[in-house]
Amino acid sequence: MAYQKQEWIDRVIDPVQIDPETGKLKVVQEGTRFTSTRANHFEQGIADAHSLVESLAKEWGGNFVAAPSGTAGLQFSASGLTANWTSGIAYVGGLRFDVTAGNMPLNATQGQYIYLDVDGVVKNTTTQATANAALPLWYFATDASQVITSIDQRNTLNFDALIADQTMALPTSDQTGKLRQWLSWFANMITKITGKAKWWQTPSTTLEAANAHMNATTGVHGATSADTANTLTQRDANGDMSTRQFKSTATTGTAPFSVLSTTVVTNLCADLLDGYHASSSGTGNTIALRDSSGSLTVKQLWTTATTGTSPLVVSSTTKVTNLNVDQVDGYDANTGTTANTIPVRDSVGKVPGSITGDAATVGGKSLTDIVATAQTFGNFDVAYNAVADSLDFRDKTTGNIVKRLYRDGNLKIVGQIQEVTVIKIGQDIVCTEDMTTGALINVTGAGTSLSLAQTGGVYASSGNRVQTYDLTSVKLAATTKLSWTQDLGKLPMTYDYTTPINVANSGYTTNEHARPQKLSNGWIITVSRDASHIYVHVLKDPAGTYELLTTATISGTMQDVAVASNGTQVYIVASISSTVNSALLGMFDAVNVTSTFTLNKGTVTGLTLIGGCSICIGDDGTIHVVASGTDSGYVNSYNIRYTKSTDNGATFISPVMFTSDNTANIHSVNPVICMANTNTVICAYTKQIGSGVYGIRSRTYNGTTLGNEIVIQSGVSYQHDNPSIVKDSAGVIHTVWWGVDGTDPNWNHVRYSKSLDVGATWSAPVKLTSGTTRFSAWPSITADKNNNLFVLCATSTTSIHNIGKIACTNGTWGAIVQLTNYTTGTTTRPTTIENSRDFTEPLTAWQDSQNGAIKFYGKFTAISNNPAGTITLETSIDNGATWQTATNGTTIPGIATDMDVKGKTLKVRQTITTNNTSVSPTISNVKLELYSKAG
């Protein structure tokens, strides 16, 4: 509340008159007595004034270093491990402190925050939150002898800046501001309202006058409802307007009129109706207009009437010249012998098909006569065959049947066929049988179904299945065919590459994010690189060797390479430093890729500098990419950017900033990404928070909401780097990285953490390796089908690096096991498979510097390319006395062109063998095709 002043009056004494009672000079006016109450009133007023000043200090600047002359005090410098500061004025919690110059010792190999506490004393702490609770001044990071990072963290306030500025830009959304900002905004807003250059200038009109002008309905600027030239248009009493012509500037796609009424507009003549011109000719895309005689001209008339409704109603019986119809009285015309059709004469004027009725004759003979007795026509004897229900034309000389006609005019298959496909080509006969149905042609010897029984360790058919075909009276032409579908079966086998094999015999480099990929066809892809190329090698046969599949040539400097796959499609993204500084994507189908491919699809582009990258593929085929780098908006810090493609790489969304720092020595690098669940990705990355100080962070994104940055490893005062991440089949997300700590400050070791809640929280980091005798770094993590974890890393007790493995079985981590024993070179960057879990030793590739090669390691089960058994089809034309082996899709063995097979039978025998109890070959879709010679 406001200070309440007290009124004081003087004590007045008459300098001459004596008071008879006291004998002293007479007191004319008693003055105000000074009491403790009045004194305390003074004190309270002073205290309230102090509180007000403190409140104003808090409201205007909070905790800050004052800069009354434009230059702030408390400027820090360092010499060795000593911090020095200049004098200055500072406010903490509203209290003003005049701080004298001074110095303090700094702790070695530590990040520490210098701050002014609420008691006005300069102090230091390793906890940023403690410093932020008071007045942060400076941040120092040190090594053993000196400062290696120095960051000014002062909040300064120049009192001269409290003067209002009417040109200060207005906010674009709701926000808080200090007193000077609000006064400046008010002054700026007044100029916007009045339109004057200065806020204090008298406006041209008042809001009241402007409102009256806007509401006026008559006499406004000479407006009239008549169509008078050079006047404003005003609606009349009915709300109508009159004008001589209405001109619209609306472009195509925007309607120039918006009309609610459906009443006809009298005399309105339009050029188009629904976008079409009217025409009396047959012009396309026009409105049909009757000509002067009332006729319509069209090129084609379509009707949507359904069956039962006549599409045309015609009164005239005059013939329509050139009218070509599909049916007459519901019947089609036919040049063949199809029933219920109108016959059409052939090229010589003859009508095909059977002729019925008493008047029907053939060569002057009635069909009744032909059926009763054989008749002679030219060089042929024609007789009715009661068995075949046909007319047989026999050569008079040889007696051979050269043509046979049936009642329905169609050819007929010899024998009885059920559920088979019949193909007719001209006058040839095609017999096709599907063996799986068991349907036979004139079976004379029943076939047996195939079953497997063991004989001498080999599983063979217990009885050959035989199908028999009657070829009586069939004389074969030039073409026969026997075909079938078979599956010889393939056996699962274990392939042991715990003695590593070569992927490439060259000193290429592997990358942690370029994991081996197992494709849907069983191929295993491994990716490596040199300075200007990306090499893709493939192991097609698990029992074979790696071969070069394809290569990409890169223009620029590669910073990182990452790989993912979907089916047989391979996706490779590389972060490239060049004129574009982008993460570029190349993709191809491994089955039909050529010897080269290109990275030509931009994902994260337009960076100034670029770092690491990573890629993963969602269950729905969405491509997810992250990359780190700087751009023109964030020049001081590397940040993580994310993008995705839902159309197989054709387009990518605008990058989403996973981090957005812009401070020197604050960077987010080495990102790695995987699917946290169906809709959410999780990215782990290295976070630099000062010179030489690195930690591990993570962030999730579900396509809409970006999760908080979560600390996995703080990294205060120490370096932690290169996270690797994997999600097991239970949905648990696991990550490993390498770093140092106070216990092992000079030895890098592998750390591990996991998240059970889609990256919301992480378990406390666990050191998987430790001690001062072994170095472990560059870890890569994977999980098998039982959710056991495997970490492959570079490890060494000397300067020569080898490959080590750390396994977690049933939740228990074991000790590191060294897998290689190199004596020269530096073997680094192991990368394990992530998209296949069917292994007993993780499928891993690494750079072998000793031998100048890329190595592949692992032990897994896969389907071999060796068949499990055999399938044999044989044919016999002598009732099984001899058999000939058939070749799938070729002619029938034993039957030659024009061979007379009268009275013979054809037998087909199938035999299946297998050498494994779990795999049986199968045969199906056996087809026998017999083409009779045309008569």
Side-chain angles (χ1 to χ4, degrees):
M1 60 181 293
Y3 180 71
Q4 301 296 322
K5 295 190 297 182
Q6 295 179 342
E7 185 177 357
W8 293 71
I9 58 175
D10 293 331
R11 187 168 185 265
V12 180
I13 301 176
D14 190 321
V16 177
Q17 190 176 1
I18 302 299
D19 186 340
E21 293 182 2
T22 62
K24 298 179 180 180
L25 292 175
K26 185 177 180 181
V27 177
V28 178
Q29 176 179 283
E30 287 288 346
T32 305
R33 292 182 178 274
F34 185 83
T35 65
S36 61
T37 299
R38 293 183 178 274
N40 287 332
H41 186 75
F42 295 159
E43 291 295 329
Q44 186 61 48
I46 296 171
D48 290 343
H50 274 284
S51 297
L52 177 60
V53 171
E54 292 173 4
S55 297
L56 290 174
K58 291 180 181 179
E59 292 171 3
W60 288 358
N63 299 337
F64 59 90
V65 177
S69 60
T71 302
L74 294 174
Q75 173 74 33
F76 276 73
S77 61
S79 175
L81 292 178
T82 300
N84 307 289
W85 65 87
T86 63
S87 62
I89 300 172
Y91 286 79
V92 184
L95 299 178
R96 183 181 187 277
F97 296 99
D98 287 302
V99 183
T100 59
N103 60 71
M104 66 165 41
L106 298 174
N107 298 324
T109 64
Q110 192 175 69
Q112 45 216 294
Y113 300 87
I114 312 301
Y115 67 101
L116 184 65
D117 208 348
V118 293
D119 58 2
V121 178
V122 177
K123 301 177 182 179
N124 72 342
T125 179
T126 59
T127 304
Q128 187 173 11
T130 301
N132 290 341
L135 172 59
L137 298 175
W138 222 266
Y139 171 79
F140 290 107
T142 61
D143 58 17
S145 61
Q146 62 184 347
V147 171
I148 58 177
T149 300
S150 175
I151 301 175
D152 185 356
Q153 296 190 324
R154 293 174 300 167
N155 176 27
T156 62
L157 180 63
N158 184 352
F159 290 105
D160 292 339
L162 296 178
I163 300 173
D165 177 9
Q166 75 170 29
T167 64
M168 181 179 290
L170 295 172
T172 57
S173 62
D174 292 342
Q175 65 183 62
T176 60
K178 296 183 179 180
L179 178 61
R180 174 180 180 269
Q181 290 176 297
W182 281 104
L183 294 175
S184 300
W185 291 339
F186 287 149
N188 194 338
M189 183 58 72
I190 291 172
T191 63
K192 295 291 189 297
I193 295 172
T194 64
K196 296 297 183 178
K198 304 297 182 180
W199 67 269
W200 45 265
Q201 292 175 322
T202 303
S204 300
T205 187
T206 65
L207 292 177
E208 186 66 27
N211 182 62
H213 181 75
M214 288 187 294
N215 292 332
T217 58
T218 59
V220 181
H221 303 301
T224 177
S225 61
D227 56 350
T228 304
N230 299 319
T231 60
L232 296 178
T233 300
Q234 179 175 306
R235 295 182 182 89
D236 62 18
N238 297 322
D240 299 334
M241 289 193 303
S242 296
T243 184
R244 294 185 60 191
Q245 190 177 34
F246 179 81
K247 295 181 180 181
S248 172
T249 59
T251 58
T252 300
T254 301
F257 293 99
S258 179
V259 181
L260 298 178
S261 173
T262 59
T263 304
V264 174
V265 181
T266 306
N267 297 327
L268 178 62
C269 182
D271 182 46
L272 299 172
L273 176 62
D274 282 336
Y276 295 99
H277 290 284
S279 175
S280 60
S281 66
T283 305
N285 296 318
T286 60
I287 299 170
L289 179 67
R290 295 182 180 91
D291 60 18
S292 58
S293 64
S295 301
L296 285 176
T297 300
V298 296
K299 293 184 67 175
Q300 195 173 24
L301 182 64
W302 292 80
T303 174
T304 59
T306 57
T307 301
T309 300
S310 176
L312 296 176
V313 178
V314 181
S315 299
S316 173
T317 58
T318 303
K319 180 178 69 175
V320 181
T321 305
N322 296 327
L323 179 61
N324 187 2
V325 298
D326 182 51
Q327 292 184 332
V328 175
D329 284 336
Y331 294 98
D332 290 296
N334 189 271
T335 58
T337 58
T338 304
N340 298 318
T341 60
I342 301 171
V344 178
R345 293 183 179 90
D346 61 18
S347 59
V348 296
K350 296 182 179 180
V351 177
S354 301
I355 301 175
T356 60
D358 295 338
T361 61
V362 175
K365 303 290 185 178
S366 68
L367 293 182
T368 303
D369 294 336
I370 294 174
V371 171
T373 59
Q375 304 292 323
T376 299
F377 299 91
N379 294 324
F380 302 105
D381 288 331
V382 181
Y384 174 69
N385 187 327
V387 177
D389 192 22
S390 65
L391 291 179
D392 293 344
F393 289 73
R394 295 180 180 274
D395 186 284
K396 284 184 178 181
T397 304
T398 64
N400 294 334
I401 299 175
V402 295
K403 187 177 290 290
R404 176 172 286 173
L405 298 178
Y406 300 93
R407 286 185 182 277
D408 59 2
N410 294 323
L411 296 176
K412 187 175 182 181
I413 301 300
V414 176
Q416 303 299 316
I417 300 178
Q418 298 176 349
E419 300 181 9
V420 297
T421 302
V422 179
I423 305 172
K424 299 168 184 174
I425 305 175
Q427 297 182 33
D428 291 347
I429 302 175
V430 181
C431 301
T432 303
E433 176 170 14
D434 186 342
M435 287 289 194
T436 60
T437 65
L440 306 176
I441 299 178
N442 285 354
V443 176
T444 58
T448 60
S449 61
L450 288 178
S451 60
L452 297 178
Q454 188 174 12
T455 304
V458 177
Y459 285 77
S461 56
S462 59
N464 294 318
R465 175 173 178 167
V466 178
Q467 304 285 9
T468 304
Y469 302 86
D470 185 0
L471 304 181
T472 301
S473 299
V474 177
K475 192 167 188 178
L476 299 182
T479 306
T480 66
K481 185 178 181 181
L482 180 60
S483 62
W484 63 89
T485 302
Q486 68 181 30
D487 182 359
L488 298 179
K490 294 180 181 179
L491 298 173
M493 296 185 64
T494 298
Y495 297 91
D496 189 344
Y497 294 110
T498 51
T499 299
I501 63 172
N502 282 355
V503 174
N505 294 316
S506 299
Y508 302 146
T509 301
T510 52
N511 279 73
E512 296 93 324
H513 304 154
R515 295 174 178 260
Q517 301 290 312
K518 190 170 185 181
L519 308 184
S520 59
N521 61 358
W523 293 2
I524 299 176
I525 295 290
T526 300
V527 175
S528 55
R529 67 180 177 97
D530 61 16
S532 57
H533 299 87
I534 295 175
Y535 302 95
V536 182
H537 289 80
V538 61
L539 185 66
K540 294 182 179 180
D541 183 351
T545 58
Y546 266 98
E547 61 186 86
L548 181 62
L549 180 64
T550 186
T551 305
T553 301
I554 303 301
S555 176
T557 303
M558 274 183 288
Q559 303 296 329
D560 199 3
V561 177
V563 185
S565 64
N566 186 18
T568 58
Q569 192 81 4
V570 179
Y571 303 85
I572 299 178
V573 64
S575 51
I576 301 172
S577 297
S578 64
T579 56
V580 293
N581 294 305
S582 301
L584 298 181
L585 172 70
M587 47 190 286
F588 54 83
D589 190 325
V591 175
N592 52 32
V593 67
T594 62
S595 60
T596 60
F597 73 101
T598 57
L599 280 75
N600 56 6
K601 298 180 182 296
T603 58
V604 177
T605 59
L607 301 179
T608 307
L609 298 173
I610 191 165
C613 62
S614 180
I615 184 172
C616 70
I617 310 296
D619 293 338
D620 59 356
T622 298
I623 305 170
H624 305 269
V625 177
V626 288
S628 66
T630 66
D631 62 16
S632 58
Y634 299 88
V635 297
N636 296 310
S637 298
Y638 278 75
N639 284 290
I640 308 296
R641 294 160 176 83
Y642 160 86
T643 185
K644 70 175 180 179
S645 172
T646 58
D647 52 14
N648 200 35
T651 59
F652 282 84
I653 66 170
S654 297
V656 176
M657 299 292 294
F658 273 20
T659 62
S660 54
D661 298 303
N662 197 20
T663 303
N665 291 322
I666 305 295
H667 301 291
S668 298
V669 295
N670 298 329
V672 57
I673 192 173
C674 79
M675 299 304 301
N677 57 32
T678 303
N679 302 313
T680 303
V681 295
I682 184 167
C683 178
Y685 50 93
T686 302
K687 184 80 170 188
Q688 181 183 3
I689 55 175
S691 178
V693 181
Y694 298 81
I696 306 298
R697 305 286 193 270
S698 73
R699 208 151 205 174
T700 60
Y701 183 63
N702 63 6
T704 302
T705 303
L706 181 63
N708 295 326
E709 184 177 66
I710 305 300
V711 176
I712 302 177
Q713 172 74 58
S714 64
V716 173
S717 304
Y718 299 102
Q719 180 171 344
H720 296 264
D721 206 355
N722 291 98
S724 175
I725 196 168
V726 71
K727 184 182 75 170
D728 65 24
S729 60
V732 180
I733 303 170
H734 309 267
T735 184
V736 290
W737 65 95
W738 58 271
V740 298
D741 58 20
T743 303
D744 301 313
N746 299 313
W747 294 79
N748 282 303
H749 287 293
V750 176
R751 271 102 170 140
Y752 162 82
S753 180
K754 67 180 178 181
S755 175
L756 305 177
D757 50 14
V758 196
T761 60
W762 291 86
S763 64
V766 176
K767 288 175 67 174
L768 302 185
T769 61
S770 61
T772 58
T773 60
R774 178 178 291 277
F775 161 98
S776 299
W778 293 291
S780 181
I781 189 171
T782 189
D784 66 13
K785 60 186 177 182
N786 298 316
N787 294 332
N788 296 315
L789 303 176
F790 297 85
V791 177
L792 277 292
C793 62
T795 187
S796 175
T797 57
T798 65
S799 60
I800 307 303
H801 295 175
N802 277 278
I803 299 298
K805 181 188 72 172
I806 314 166
C808 178
T809 305
N810 298 325
T812 302
W813 286 100
I816 188 169
V817 177
Q818 187 169 306
L819 302 180
T820 60
N821 290 289
Y822 298 120
T823 57
T824 61
T826 301
T827 297
T828 58
R829 297 183 179 274
T831 177
T832 59
I833 197 166
E834 185 274 334
N835 74 330
S836 176
R837 308 299 170 86
D838 191 9
F839 59 79
T840 51
E841 288 293 326
L843 281 58
T844 308
W846 64 72
Q847 174 187 348
D848 177 357
S849 298
Q850 176 172 300
N851 299 299
I854 299 297
K855 292 292 187 180
F856 175 76
Y857 169 93
K859 187 175 182 181
F860 59 97
T861 299
I863 300 299
S864 73
N865 290 330
N866 300 320
T870 64
I871 291 176
T872 304
L873 263 71
E874 302 165 287
T875 62
S876 174
I877 198 71
D878 54 11
N879 202 31
T882 59
W883 295 89
Q884 299 183 58
T885 302
T887 301
N888 195 358
T890 62
T891 58
I892 301 174
I895 301 180
T897 303
D898 289 333
M899 177 179 179
D900 188 354
V901 293
K902 186 183 299 182
K904 294 182 180 295
T905 58
L906 173 66
K907 292 181 180 291
V908 180
R909 181 170 67 185
Q910 309 163 43
T911 304
I912 296 177
T913 66
T914 185
N915 54 21
N916 188 282
T917 58
S918 62
V919 180
S920 173
T922 60
I923 183 172
S924 60
N925 299 320
V926 177
K927 293 184 179 181
L928 176 69
E929 300 182 22
L930 306 177
Y931 295 80
S932 70
K933 187 175 181 181

